[in-house]
mmCIF file of all heavy atoms in Angstrom:
data_model
loop_
_atom_site.group_PDB
_atom_site.id
_atom_site.type_symbol
_atom_site.label_atom_id
_atom_site.label_comp_id
_atom_site.label_asym_id
_atom_site.label_seq_id
_atom_site.Cartn_x
_atom_site.Cartn_y
_atom_site.Cartn_z
ATOM 1 N N TYR A 97 -93.169 -5.948 4.997
ATOM 2 C CA TYR A 97 -92.841 -5.127 6.166
ATOM 3 C C TYR A 97 -93.564 -5.570 7.433
ATOM 4 O O TYR A 97 -93.539 -4.873 8.435
ATOM 5 C CB TYR A 97 -93.128 -3.652 5.873
ATOM 6 C CG TYR A 97 -92.195 -3.103 4.823
ATOM 7 C CD1 TYR A 97 -92.645 -2.840 3.539
ATOM 8 C CD2 TYR A 97 -90.849 -2.877 5.108
ATOM 9 C CE1 TYR A 97 -91.783 -2.349 2.573
ATOM 10 C CE2 TYR A 97 -89.984 -2.392 4.146
ATOM 11 C CZ TYR A 97 -90.460 -2.124 2.878
ATOM 12 O OH TYR A 97 -89.598 -1.650 1.934
ATOM 13 N N VAL A 138 -97.213 3.734 10.852
ATOM 14 C CA VAL A 138 -95.971 3.222 10.296
ATOM 15 C C VAL A 138 -94.958 4.359 10.384
ATOM 16 O O VAL A 138 -95.208 5.462 9.909
ATOM 17 C CB VAL A 138 -96.140 2.776 8.830
ATOM 18 C CG1 VAL A 138 -94.803 2.354 8.236
ATOM 19 C CG2 VAL A 138 -97.156 1.650 8.742
ATOM 20 N N VAL A 139 -93.834 4.100 11.031
ATOM 21 C CA VAL A 139 -92.781 5.102 11.190
ATOM 22 C C VAL A 139 -91.627 4.722 10.275
ATOM 23 O O VAL A 139 -91.048 3.650 10.424
ATOM 24 C CB VAL A 139 -92.283 5.179 12.652
ATOM 25 C CG1 VAL A 139 -91.214 6.255 12.799
ATOM 26 C CG2 VAL A 139 -93.441 5.425 13.608
ATOM 27 N N ILE A 140 -91.323 5.574 9.299
ATOM 28 C CA ILE A 140 -90.209 5.337 8.387
ATOM 29 C C ILE A 140 -89.090 6.274 8.818
ATOM 30 O O ILE A 140 -89.255 7.485 8.830
ATOM 31 C CB ILE A 140 -90.616 5.588 6.927
ATOM 32 C CG1 ILE A 140 -91.800 4.669 6.572
ATOM 33 C CG2 ILE A 140 -89.431 5.367 5.991
ATOM 34 C CD1 ILE A 140 -92.385 4.922 5.210
ATOM 35 N N SER A 141 -87.959 5.677 9.194
ATOM 36 C CA SER A 141 -86.917 6.491 9.808
ATOM 37 C C SER A 141 -85.524 6.127 9.329
ATOM 38 O O SER A 141 -85.210 4.962 9.162
ATOM 39 C CB SER A 141 -86.974 6.302 11.317
ATOM 40 O OG SER A 141 -86.722 4.949 11.634
ATOM 41 N N PRO A 142 -84.696 7.146 9.132
ATOM 42 C CA PRO A 142 -83.292 6.864 8.840
ATOM 43 C C PRO A 142 -82.569 6.542 10.136
ATOM 44 O O PRO A 142 -82.766 7.215 11.141
ATOM 45 C CB PRO A 142 -82.786 8.176 8.241
ATOM 46 C CG PRO A 142 -83.648 9.218 8.855
ATOM 47 C CD PRO A 142 -84.989 8.564 9.090
ATOM 48 N N LYS A 143 -81.762 5.502 10.149
ATOM 49 C CA LYS A 143 -81.019 5.146 11.350
ATOM 50 C C LYS A 143 -79.621 5.729 11.335
ATOM 51 O O LYS A 143 -79.012 5.884 12.363
ATOM 52 C CB LYS A 143 -80.881 3.626 11.477
ATOM 53 C CG LYS A 143 -82.167 2.897 11.666
ATOM 54 C CD LYS A 143 -81.965 1.474 12.111
ATOM 55 C CE LYS A 143 -81.100 0.672 11.186
ATOM 56 N NZ LYS A 143 -81.071 -0.747 11.524
ATOM 57 N N ASN A 144 -79.117 6.024 10.149
ATOM 58 C CA ASN A 144 -77.711 6.363 10.060
ATOM 59 C C ASN A 144 -77.442 7.822 9.712
ATOM 60 O O ASN A 144 -76.310 8.202 9.524
ATOM 61 C CB ASN A 144 -77.024 5.454 9.038
ATOM 62 C CG ASN A 144 -77.651 5.565 7.666
ATOM 63 O OD1 ASN A 144 -78.696 6.178 7.501
ATOM 64 N ND2 ASN A 144 -77.032 4.967 6.679
ATOM 65 N N PHE A 152 -84.656 8.238 16.690
ATOM 66 C CA PHE A 152 -84.698 6.786 16.564
ATOM 67 C C PHE A 152 -84.816 6.124 17.925
ATOM 68 O O PHE A 152 -85.581 5.180 18.101
ATOM 69 C CB PHE A 152 -83.458 6.285 15.820
ATOM 70 C CG PHE A 152 -83.590 4.861 15.376
ATOM 71 C CD1 PHE A 152 -84.418 4.539 14.323
ATOM 72 C CD2 PHE A 152 -82.915 3.844 16.020
ATOM 73 C CE1 PHE A 152 -84.556 3.227 13.909
ATOM 74 C CE2 PHE A 152 -83.042 2.529 15.621
ATOM 75 C CZ PHE A 152 -83.872 2.223 14.553
ATOM 76 N N ARG A 164 -95.228 0.533 13.754
ATOM 77 C CA ARG A 164 -94.313 -0.346 13.016
ATOM 78 C C ARG A 164 -93.170 0.520 12.533
ATOM 79 O O ARG A 164 -93.368 1.499 11.825
ATOM 80 C CB ARG A 164 -95.050 -0.984 11.846
ATOM 81 C CG ARG A 164 -94.193 -1.870 10.988
ATOM 82 C CD ARG A 164 -93.841 -3.161 11.737
ATOM 83 N NE ARG A 164 -93.143 -4.048 10.849
ATOM 84 C CZ ARG A 164 -91.823 -4.182 10.838
ATOM 85 N NH1 ARG A 164 -91.072 -3.527 11.677
ATOM 86 N NH2 ARG A 164 -91.257 -5.000 9.990
ATOM 87 N N LEU A 165 -91.971 0.198 12.927
ATOM 88 C CA LEU A 165 -90.774 0.955 12.575
ATOM 89 C C LEU A 165 -90.111 0.329 11.354
ATOM 90 O O LEU A 165 -89.779 -0.855 11.357
ATOM 91 C CB LEU A 165 -89.811 0.965 13.758
ATOM 92 C CG LEU A 165 -88.561 1.813 13.640
ATOM 93 C CD1 LEU A 165 -88.910 3.279 13.409
ATOM 94 C CD2 LEU A 165 -87.723 1.679 14.899
ATOM 95 N N ILE A 166 -89.963 1.124 10.292
ATOM 96 C CA ILE A 166 -89.360 0.661 9.044
ATOM 97 C C ILE A 166 -88.209 1.603 8.714
ATOM 98 O O ILE A 166 -88.389 2.816 8.724
ATOM 99 C CB ILE A 166 -90.387 0.678 7.892
ATOM 100 C CG1 ILE A 166 -91.566 -0.240 8.198
ATOM 101 C CG2 ILE A 166 -89.722 0.295 6.578
ATOM 102 C CD1 ILE A 166 -92.675 -0.170 7.179
ATOM 103 N N PRO A 167 -87.023 1.066 8.420
ATOM 104 C CA PRO A 167 -85.934 1.962 8.028
ATOM 105 C C PRO A 167 -86.223 2.603 6.669
ATOM 106 O O PRO A 167 -86.972 2.054 5.864
ATOM 107 C CB PRO A 167 -84.716 1.042 7.953
ATOM 108 C CG PRO A 167 -85.267 -0.327 7.796
ATOM 109 C CD PRO A 167 -86.634 -0.335 8.427
ATOM 110 N N SER A 168 -85.640 3.760 6.458
ATOM 111 C CA SER A 168 -85.848 4.439 5.173
ATOM 112 C C SER A 168 -85.299 3.592 4.042
ATOM 113 O O SER A 168 -84.521 2.668 4.255
ATOM 114 C CB SER A 168 -85.175 5.816 5.187
ATOM 115 O OG SER A 168 -83.773 5.668 5.189
ATOM 116 N N MET A 169 -85.697 3.922 2.808
ATOM 117 C CA MET A 169 -85.280 3.142 1.648
ATOM 118 C C MET A 169 -83.764 3.067 1.550
ATOM 119 O O MET A 169 -83.225 2.029 1.235
ATOM 120 C CB MET A 169 -85.834 3.771 0.379
ATOM 121 C CG MET A 169 -87.065 3.095 -0.131
ATOM 122 S SD MET A 169 -87.443 3.684 -1.760
ATOM 123 C CE MET A 169 -88.731 4.833 -1.372
ATOM 124 N N ARG A 170 -83.087 4.169 1.799
ATOM 125 C CA ARG A 170 -81.627 4.160 1.703
ATOM 126 C C ARG A 170 -81.045 3.147 2.659
ATOM 127 O O ARG A 170 -80.171 2.384 2.298
ATOM 128 C CB ARG A 170 -81.062 5.536 2.020
ATOM 129 C CG ARG A 170 -80.985 6.435 0.867
ATOM 130 C CD ARG A 170 -80.215 7.622 1.258
ATOM 131 N NE ARG A 170 -80.422 7.872 2.691
ATOM 132 C CZ ARG A 170 -80.336 9.026 3.248
ATOM 133 N NH1 ARG A 170 -80.028 10.063 2.567
ATOM 134 N NH2 ARG A 170 -80.554 9.181 4.530
ATOM 135 N N VAL A 171 -81.551 3.152 3.909
ATOM 136 C CA VAL A 171 -81.027 2.212 4.897
ATOM 137 C C VAL A 171 -81.362 0.780 4.486
ATOM 138 O O VAL A 171 -80.536 -0.104 4.524
ATOM 139 C CB VAL A 171 -81.578 2.525 6.302
ATOM 140 C CG1 VAL A 171 -81.150 1.470 7.296
ATOM 141 C CG2 VAL A 171 -81.092 3.900 6.751
ATOM 142 N N ALA A 172 -82.606 0.560 4.033
ATOM 143 C CA ALA A 172 -83.018 -0.777 3.631
ATOM 144 C C ALA A 172 -82.215 -1.229 2.414
ATOM 145 O O ALA A 172 -81.819 -2.388 2.307
ATOM 146 C CB ALA A 172 -84.506 -0.790 3.316
ATOM 147 N N TYR A 173 -81.955 -0.332 1.496
ATOM 148 C CA TYR A 173 -81.243 -0.676 0.282
ATOM 149 C C TYR A 173 -79.792 -1.047 0.555
ATOM 150 O O TYR A 173 -79.257 -1.958 -0.033
ATOM 151 C CB TYR A 173 -81.314 0.502 -0.701
ATOM 152 C CG TYR A 173 -80.652 0.223 -2.018
ATOM 153 C CD1 TYR A 173 -81.306 -0.526 -2.995
ATOM 154 C CD2 TYR A 173 -79.376 0.684 -2.290
ATOM 155 C CE1 TYR A 173 -80.691 -0.785 -4.208
ATOM 156 C CE2 TYR A 173 -78.761 0.421 -3.507
ATOM 157 C CZ TYR A 173 -79.418 -0.319 -4.460
ATOM 158 O OH TYR A 173 -78.810 -0.564 -5.649
ATOM 159 N N SER A 175 -78.431 -1.957 3.543
ATOM 160 C CA SER A 175 -78.132 -2.826 4.693
ATOM 161 C C SER A 175 -78.377 -4.285 4.344
ATOM 162 O O SER A 175 -78.850 -4.639 3.331
ATOM 163 C CB SER A 175 -78.979 -2.414 5.892
ATOM 164 O OG SER A 175 -80.343 -2.446 5.586
#
Side-chain angles (χ1 to χ4, degrees):
Y97 293 107
V138 175
V139 182
I140 302 174
S141 62
K143 295 194 304 188
N144 58 351
F152 194 73
R164 178 71 174 99
L165 186 59
I166 299 174
S168 69
M169 260 191 259
R170 273 190 329 207
V171 174
Y173 182 79
S175 57

